[in-house]
Amino acid sequence: MVPAHGGRVAEPVYRPLLASRRGELEALAHVDSAAAARLAPVLIVSTVDGSLLDLLGRLPAGLVPAVDVSALPDVAEAELVRWGVPVVPAIGLADSDRRLVAHGVTAQAYARRAVIRLRAGHDRSGPDAATAAAERIWRLARLVPEQCDLLVDAGDVCCPAELRAAEPRIRRLVQWSRRHAWRTVTVAAGGMPPTLHRLPTDEPVRLDRWDWQLWQRLADLGVGYGDYGVTPATPGDDGAADRLPTVRYTADGVWWVYRWSRRGGRGDERFADLCRTLVSAPHWPAAGAGFSWGDHELLRRARRVAGAGSPANWTAWSTSHHVAYVLAALAGPVSGRRPRRWPAAEERGRATGPGW
C-alpha cells in the first residue's frame, strides 16, 4: 500500500469494518502477532457494555482497533478515552463538535492518529464540502492530515450493476483525496448479500466477492483494501433462517456459503456433516487446520471432537478464516482480471465537477 502523500511504501494493511459482536471480536482475539501488525480493523459499535470492553481487552498486543461510535448518542459512555483500552477513533464527516473534541483526546492518549470514514452513500456533498468537513475535523480534534487514515466506504457492492456504479464514484473520491496529505487511503466495500435465506441448503453455494473485484479494478490507484468481513454492509433480516448452521468460507474471489438444514440426528451431527463436506472440498486450504484458528475449529467439528457451537461461533470461525485468507492474498500476487484504466481526461472532468 502506498501512502497518499507519496512517502515510503508500507506493508499491505487490511482494514475490515466489523460489527463489535462476540463472534468478530473472538476471531480477532486469535490473530497471531505477525498478522496483527498488518491488520487494522474498524469496529462499528451499536451498544457499550462490560462484555464489549472485556473482549477489547483480550485482543493481542499490537492490534489496536479503530472504533466507530457514530451510532451512539453524544454521551460520556461514547467517549473512547473513558473505556480504558487502547483504540483509534474512527471519525465521520458529520460527527458533532463535541464528539470531534473527544475523539481528539482519544487520539492523543493512544496511537496519535485517527481514521476518517467517508461513506460514499451518505456523504454526497461534493469535493469542496468534503474538504471543509475534513478541515473541521482536523481543527476540532487537533489533528493533521498525516495523522489520519482515510477510509472510503463504498457500502454494499453485491452485484455487477452495483460494481459498475461504484467504480467511477470511488475513483472520484480517491481523486479528491489527493488534495490532502493523508497517512493512507483505503477503499472498503461489503460484498456479502444482505440475506441468505433464498440460497439452496445442504450444498455449498458459490458467491462472487464483488468487493474484492472492485478493489482489483482500482489497483492502478494504489489504495489499500478493506471490506465488511463475511457480513453485509447493510445487514438484512433472515429471521428464523439465521439459526441454520451457516459457514461463509472465503476462497479466491468467491465465498462458499454452507447452510445446512438436513433433518435427522442432533444439531451437533448436522454441523459435523457441514464441516465434513467443507474439509473435503477443493477450496479447503492445503495447510488445513494450520491455516487459521477458525479452520482448526471447523476441522475439530468435522471430526466430532467438539459440539456445533452457536451462530456467534460460526461467525467467529468464518471471520478467522476470512482474515487469514485476505492477509495471505494481500501479501502475495493478486489473482483475477487486469484492472481497467480510467481515461485521464474523463477522470479530470469528473473529479472537478460540483459533486461526486
Side-chain angles (χ1 to χ4, degrees):
M1 180 172 61
V2 181
H5 48 77
R8 65 179 178 84
V9 176
E11 285 291 321
V13 172
Y14 170 39
R15 200 179 297 277
L17 292 102
L18 302 175
S20 56
R21 298 175 301 202
R22 182 168 68 88
E24 286 84 352
L25 290 171
E26 185 74 12
L28 294 179
H30 285 86
V31 169
D32 62 32
S33 58
R38 299 175 45 231
L39 184 61
V42 178
L43 302 178
I44 301 174
V45 176
S46 56
T47 59
V48 179
D49 55 29
S51 63
L52 169 61
L53 301 183
D54 179 62
L55 289 166
L56 287 175
R58 298 181 188 179
L59 297 182
L63 183 59
V64 180
V67 176
D68 186 329
V69 292
S70 59
L72 301 179
D74 276 347
V75 294
E77 290 77 8
E79 295 179 11
L80 301 175
V81 75
R82 295 173 179 261
W83 292 11
V85 292
V87 295
V88 173
I91 302 174
L93 267 61
D95 281 352
S96 69
D97 290 0
R98 180 181 185 276
R99 176 157 284 169
L100 292 180
V101 171
H103 281 332
V105 172
T106 301
Q108 298 306 320
Y110 296 118
R112 296 188 179 275
R113 59 184 175 86
V115 173
I116 295 183
R117 182 183 176 197
L118 195 164
R119 302 174 69 182
H122 295 76
D123 303 317
R124 300 180 177 179
S125 51
D128 293 337
T131 293
E135 290 173 345
R136 170 176 162 269
I137 291 171
W138 297 324
R139 182 178 70 255
L140 292 174
R142 298 179 180 269
L143 296 167
V144 295
E146 291 87 348
Q147 293 176 289
C148 298
D149 299 289
L150 178 65
L151 176 61
V152 180
D153 182 357
D156 282 309
V157 180
C158 299
C159 66
E162 291 179 347
L163 176 64
R164 289 191 298 270
E167 183 184 354
R169 182 188 309 127
I170 299 304
R171 284 185 174 273
R172 293 193 291 271
L173 288 166
V174 173
Q175 182 68 13
W176 163 80
S177 75
R178 291 172 177 165
R179 295 183 179 186
H180 310 288
W182 302 100
R183 184 172 178 266
T184 63
V185 176
T186 298
V187 172
M192 182 66 69
T195 61
L196 301 178
H197 69 274
R198 292 187 178 88
L199 297 181
T201 60
D202 303 325
E203 63 182 75
V205 179
R206 182 184 185 277
L207 298 177
D208 286 313
R209 290 172 58 202
W210 300 107
D211 51 342
W212 182 253
Q213 290 194 33
L214 173 65
W215 182 71
Q216 288 182 303
R217 290 184 178 215
L218 301 173
D220 57 300
L221 300 180
V223 293
Y225 175 73
D227 59 23
Y228 277 77
V230 298
T231 59
T234 306
D237 182 13
D238 277 328
D242 281 340
R243 302 300 303 182
L244 285 182
T246 301
V247 171
R248 300 167 173 88
Y249 201 76
T250 310
D252 186 13
V254 301
W255 284 291
W256 290 98
V257 177
Y258 289 73
R259 299 174 64 246
W260 245 237
S261 64
R262 289 178 180 169
R263 298 180 179 179
R266 298 184 307 143
D268 287 1
E269 178 56 38
R270 184 165 55 172
F271 193 72
D273 185 64
L274 183 160
C275 292
R276 284 193 296 268
T277 305
L278 170 57
V279 303
S280 63
H283 44 266
W284 178 252
F291 189 78
S292 73
W293 167 74
D295 288 288
H296 174 77
E297 294 301 313
L298 291 167
L299 184 60
R300 292 182 71 216
R301 271 73 193 175
R303 293 175 174 174
R304 295 297 308 275
V305 176
S310 66
N313 295 132
W314 308 332
T315 297
W317 303 331
S318 299
T319 300
S320 174
H321 169 81
H322 177 82
V323 168
Y325 192 95
V326 171
L327 287 173
L330 293 178
V334 176
S335 62
R337 72 181 70 183
R338 179 179 299 175
R340 181 172 62 83
R341 293 285 177 174
W342 188 257
E346 185 178 0
E347 182 181 35
R348 287 195 299 270
R350 290 178 182 246
T352 57
W356 299 123

